[in-house]
Amino acid sequence: MQMPVIDMQGIWSQYREVVIHKDLSFQVQPGEVVSLVGGSGSGKTTLLREILGLLRPTRGSVRLFGTDLHDPDPIRQRDIRRRLGMLFQQGALFSALSVYDNIAFPLRELRFLDEDWIRELVLLKLAMVELEPKHAALMPAELSGGMIKRVALARALALEPELLLLDEPTAGLDPVRSQNFVQLIKELQRAIGFTVVLVTHDIDTIYGLGSDVAVLAEQRILIQGSLDQVVALDHPVIHQFFENHRNRSAA
Amino acid sequence: MGTPLLVQNAGEVSLSGTWTLVSLMASDQDPRRALAALGQVQGWNLLGVERLDSAAAVLLWRTWGRRWPERLEISPTLRATLERVADLPPEPPAVRDYRDSLVGRVGRLTLSILRNMLGLVELYGRLVLDLFFLCRHPRDIPWKEFSANLYKAGAQALPVSALVGFLIGITISYLSALQLKTYGADLFIVNILGISIIRELGPVLVAVLVAGRSGSAMTAQIGVMRVTEEIDALSTLGVSRTIRVVLPKVAALTVAMPLLVVWSSASALLGGALAAFWQLDFSFNYFFSMLPKAVPIANLWIGLAKGAVFGFLIALLACQFGLHVRPNTESLSMRTTASVVTAITLVIIVDAVFAIFTRNLGMPS
């Protein structure tokens, strides 16, 4: 059996008196696409931040690619982080840098590639997210919402990570753009073969990506499986979340 | 994790293993050098490559001189990766040129100064109109914001302005006393301290302090409000941003500055009297009874007027710079710096103008 990309065991997260996760376990196998869903305040973003290492769970272990995320060795920590890419909800582009420099930033940080090499890679990433070379000179403030997402995706993909994390990838996009963006992620996933974990509220995104679903409720992962398996489960949270979906299927 | 392997066999190069950015970096012998060192190559065999990412694909493509080699054995997946590199448009991306000629720079600077002056006049005009409006609708006067700003820019600045004033007073008095003693002109210490502190040092010192303290805070606050679209939110709620945001700050600083000037000057005179007591054996009683005779009252009015004008200028500049922050971190920091630097420069220029126009006032006869 392959080593899971994400392996979280016995996670307890507590913020002051509020327990967010209670003995939660979560595993993602290589090449899987998993959507984390759940009501507001169910701890989806907290879980994502724990996978990224931005937050440390109160108790429990987080292993990425078989290595402990909180390894004391800074070099090993950095190496793990270089194998994952994150798309923040608002893009989190460096506002003082141009599109080109934003995408080149992680590549330059490696201190391994020469500028010509970086230029071709940046162009390649721009082409991957279907932006044109002329957009490279723009500043983040000059971009539309959809373009910000694309540039942020290009930056997240700059190092061709094995694991891509997406926080509400389609929030703030109109339906057509959001469909295109989902299609783009799906194609890239097929081409490069990375593992994807995303937080979303949008059933169409889950559908479009053809992803598995992990439902966060009652401070744990209620169920993790294909969309059909999850919808079949009889549970109030699932009824509430997938109601529209059922209605649509019925119609 | 695999490593990139390269074997050259009778003109044919076989690659195998993992060819990714991570594995290239981790590899002991630099594959870049190995690729560059290849001589004449008849054919390439990439069938043994398990993974090829775009960084390695770019490397190969460059090694091949940006065209497909004549003999290439490769799996369809890897070919697709390489095709993406091959399909790249050949022209380089337009990278913005940040360099600028001298003429261009002078021109841009002049234009930006003119633009800022125009903006200042505009904002000033807006405030005057707002004042007319508030006279007719006194219910809309933003008392709460005014009082909050008065507290932040005035009351909270009391300790630091007292401390700075006191120390400057001691220093000037001490240094002057040393000089005056050699001439036996001890008595003039009161004149020197009184006129210089009340008329000149007090207002300018407080202006510099307030520009650094409150001016920068105002620019940063309004700037962040612009970045987060709070200013726009105010407008959509039907609240005038000049009445609610700019006017209270300008009014509060115009009122607070003269008070701070008096406070700071008093503290400086106290420090001066203390140093005079140590150095020249002047009693406090003597020092302060001499003060009104040595310093005509006009000097106090000039100092107060300066304080009000400086306060007004600092707040107006801070708001003007804040309102024109563009939504990025770089612009915010640049504008905040520019606000403080411009405010201090302008204060010194206006101080010089004051000196010219009040040259006949307040001198002891």
Side-chain angles (χ1 to χ4, degrees), chain A:
Chain A
M1 189 180 136
Q2 275 179 305
M3 199 189 318
V5 175
I6 301 175
D7 187 7
M8 303 176 88
Q9 298 291 344
I11 298 292
W12 287 70
S13 312
Q14 209 169 338
Y15 183 71
R16 298 207 183 126
E17 265 81 66
V18 185
V19 177
I20 302 164
H21 304 132
K22 195 168 169 182
D23 199 21
L24 173 149
S25 299
F26 182 50
Q27 280 196 347
V28 179
Q29 303 297 330
E32 276 188 326
V33 181
V34 179
S35 303
L36 278 172
V37 302
S40 322
S42 60
K44 303 181 298 274
T45 305
T46 308
L47 194 66
L48 201 65
R49 291 173 73 84
E50 282 170 357
I51 296 171
L52 281 164
L54 293 173
L55 273 180
R56 195 172 183 162
T58 320
R59 242 185 291 162
S61 80
V62 184
R63 298 175 78 82
L64 296 186
F65 316 107
T67 318
D68 188 359
L69 185 60
H70 296 284
D71 194 296
D73 180 18
I75 298 291
R76 234 173 301 163
Q77 275 212 20
R78 197 186 62 192
D79 287 347
I80 299 176
R81 280 173 177 73
R82 282 183 178 164
R83 292 170 72 183
L84 57 86
M86 169 73 187
L87 176 69
F88 288 91
Q89 196 173 344
Q90 313 287 348
L93 294 178
F94 302 124
S95 59
L97 300 179
S98 67
V99 166
Y100 180 92
D101 291 323
N102 259 291
I103 303 174
F105 185 86
L107 297 165
R108 288 192 178 129
E109 279 305 292
L110 297 175
R111 301 178 208 293
F112 176 73
L113 306 167
D114 55 60
E115 272 304 312
D116 283 343
W117 198 345
I118 288 176
R119 201 187 60 231
E120 298 214 28
L121 283 174
V122 171
L123 278 179
L124 200 61
K125 304 295 160 182
L126 275 176
M128 269 186 194
V129 297
E130 290 160 7
L131 288 174
E132 286 166 42
K134 66 171 188 220
H135 294 136
L138 295 177
M139 298 303 281
E142 299 165 327
L143 302 176
S144 68
M147 279 168 87
I148 287 179
K149 292 263 187 191
R150 278 160 195 264
V151 175
L153 182 64
R155 187 181 69 182
L157 291 176
L159 298 180
E160 306 222 340
E162 293 155 68
L163 171 62
L164 182 66
L165 300 162
L166 312 168
D167 190 3
E168 301 275 4
T170 51
L173 298 183
D174 63 57
V176 177
R177 279 209 189 125
S178 115
Q179 206 181 355
N180 289 344
F181 196 64
V182 167
Q183 205 55 38
L184 179 68
I185 294 172
K186 196 175 172 183
E187 273 164 27
L188 290 172
Q189 199 268 338
R190 210 177 292 147
I192 305 176
F194 43 70
T195 311
V196 183
V197 173
L198 63 148
V199 165
T200 187
H201 277 115
D202 184 28
I203 306 261
D204 290 331
T205 306
I206 302 174
Y207 235 179
L209 282 173
S211 86
D212 283 353
V213 178
V215 181
L216 255 170
E218 298 170 359
Q219 299 147 331
R220 62 193 173 94
I221 301 278
L222 198 64
I223 181 173
Q224 184 176 356
S226 70
L227 190 55
D228 292 333
Q229 283 173 325
V230 169
V231 173
L233 186 76
D234 191 28
H235 190 279
V237 173
I238 289 171
H239 284 300
Q240 207 181 357
F241 196 86
F242 293 101
E243 199 167 12
N244 294 332
H245 168 68
R246 283 192 190 179
N247 294 347
R248 209 178 311 171
S249 304

Side-chain angles (χ1 to χ4, degrees), chain B residues 1 39 44 46 64 82 84 95 108 117-118 133 141 160 168 173 180 198 203 215 270 285 291 296 335 363:
Chain B
M1 204 190 314
W44 290 79
L46 270 62
W64 293 341
L82 278 161
R84 277 209 299 272
V95 173
R108 237 178 283 279
M117 280 166 63
L118 199 70
F133 173 83
I141 297 179
V160 68
I168 293 276
S173 174
L180 290 172
I198 293 174
L270 198 69
N285 203 349
L291 199 58
R335 285 258 145 188
M363 288 303 161

Side-chain angles (χ1 to χ4, degrees), chain B residues 116 241 264 353:
Chain B
N116 274 321
R241 60 184 190 184
S264 184
V353 174

Side-chain angles (χ1 to χ4, degrees), chain B residues 88-161:
Chain B
L88 273 186
E91 86 266 33
V95 173
R96 209 173 280 183
D97 197 355
Y98 293 102
R99 283 166 303 171
D100 207 352
S101 70
L102 185 67
V103 178
R105 239 180 302 168
V106 171
R108 237 178 283 279
L109 187 71
T110 314
L111 281 178
S112 90
I113 290 175
L114 285 178
R115 242 197 317 272
N116 274 321
M117 280 166 63
L118 199 70
L120 269 182
V121 173
E122 226 178 278
L123 190 62
Y124 178 65
R126 185 71 248 171
L127 287 181
V128 172
L129 292 179
D130 284 343
L131 278 179
F132 280 128
F133 173 83
L134 289 179
C135 287
R136 278 185 291 128
H137 304 88
R139 270 165 33 119
D140 284 347
I141 297 179
W143 289 114
K144 254 188 204 157
E145 287 82 357
F146 173 75
S147 134
N149 277 298
L150 199 60
Y151 177 70
K152 261 193 294 189
Q156 291 193 328
L158 287 177
V160 68
S161 49

Side-chain angles (χ1 to χ4, degrees), chain B residues 70-359:
Chain B
E70 279 164 33
R71 270 179 41 214
L72 174 67
E73 289 178 68
I74 187 168
S75 66
T77 5
L78 294 194
R79 185 178 280 277
T81 309
L82 278 161
E83 265 165 5
R84 277 209 299 272
V85 179
D87 288 343
L88 273 186
E91 86 266 33
V95 173
R96 209 173 280 183
D97 197 355
Y98 293 102
R99 283 166 303 171
D100 207 352
S101 70
L102 185 67
V103 178
R105 239 180 302 168
V106 171
R108 237 178 283 279
L109 187 71
T110 314
L111 281 178
S112 90
I113 290 175
L114 285 178
R115 242 197 317 272
N116 274 321
M117 280 166 63
L118 199 70
L120 269 182
V121 173
E122 226 178 278
L123 190 62
Y124 178 65
R126 185 71 248 171
L127 287 181
V128 172
L129 292 179
D130 284 343
L131 278 179
F132 280 128
F133 173 83
L134 289 179
C135 287
R136 278 185 291 128
H137 304 88
R139 270 165 33 119
D140 284 347
I141 297 179
W143 289 114
K144 254 188 204 157
E145 287 82 357
F146 173 75
S147 134
N149 277 298
L150 199 60
Y151 177 70
K152 261 193 294 189
Q156 291 193 328
L158 287 177
V160 68
S161 49
L163 180 70
V164 171
F166 186 73
L167 293 177
I168 293 276
I170 288 189
T171 314
I172 293 180
S173 174
Y174 175 71
L175 291 177
S176 317
L178 286 182
Q179 299 294 316
L180 290 172
K181 244 204 261 183
T182 55
Y183 291 104
D186 301 15
L187 283 178
F188 285 102
I189 189 86
V190 184
N191 300 50
I192 289 179
L193 285 181
I195 294 209
S196 66
I197 287 175
I198 293 174
R199 186 183 176 119
E200 196 60 42
L201 274 173
V204 172
L205 209 64
V206 174
V208 171
L209 256 175
V210 166
R213 209 183 154 274
S214 310
S216 61
M218 287 175 182
T219 307
Q221 192 194 7
I222 298 181
V224 172
M225 282 176 82
R226 260 195 56 86
V227 174
T228 55
E229 296 182 320
E230 284 172 55
I231 292 276
D232 299 338
L234 273 181
S235 299
T236 48
L237 292 174
V239 176
S240 158
R241 60 184 190 184
T242 44
I243 290 185
R244 203 57 73 85
V245 179
V246 178
L247 192 65
K249 292 190 194 316
V250 175
L253 214 54
T254 311
V255 171
M257 267 285 288
L259 302 176
L260 278 176
V261 167
V262 173
W263 168 256
S264 184
S265 297
S267 162
L269 286 175
L270 198 69
L274 198 67
F277 171 67
W278 285 331
Q279 281 290 309
L280 307 170
D281 282 328
F282 273 31
S283 76
F284 283 98
N285 203 349
Y286 177 72
F287 189 96
F288 285 109
S289 61
M290 276 294 286
L291 199 58
K293 286 178 205 127
V295 184
I297 195 70
N299 287 289
L300 185 64
W301 297 124
I302 292 172
L304 285 174
K306 276 184 183 178
V309 171
F310 293 168
F312 173 78
L313 281 176
I314 291 168
L316 194 69
L317 273 168
C319 293
Q320 150 75 5
F321 275 97
L323 284 173
H324 289 86
V325 166
R326 279 189 302 276
N328 65 69
T329 50
E330 189 68 21
S331 170
L332 184 62
S333 76
M334 256 173 51
R335 285 258 145 188
T336 311
T337 311
S339 153
V340 175
V341 172
T342 314
I344 293 178
T345 314
L346 201 65
V347 159
I348 298 204
I349 292 174
V350 172
D351 188 54
V353 174
F354 254 102
I356 294 169
F357 282 105
T358 59
R359 63 186 181 277

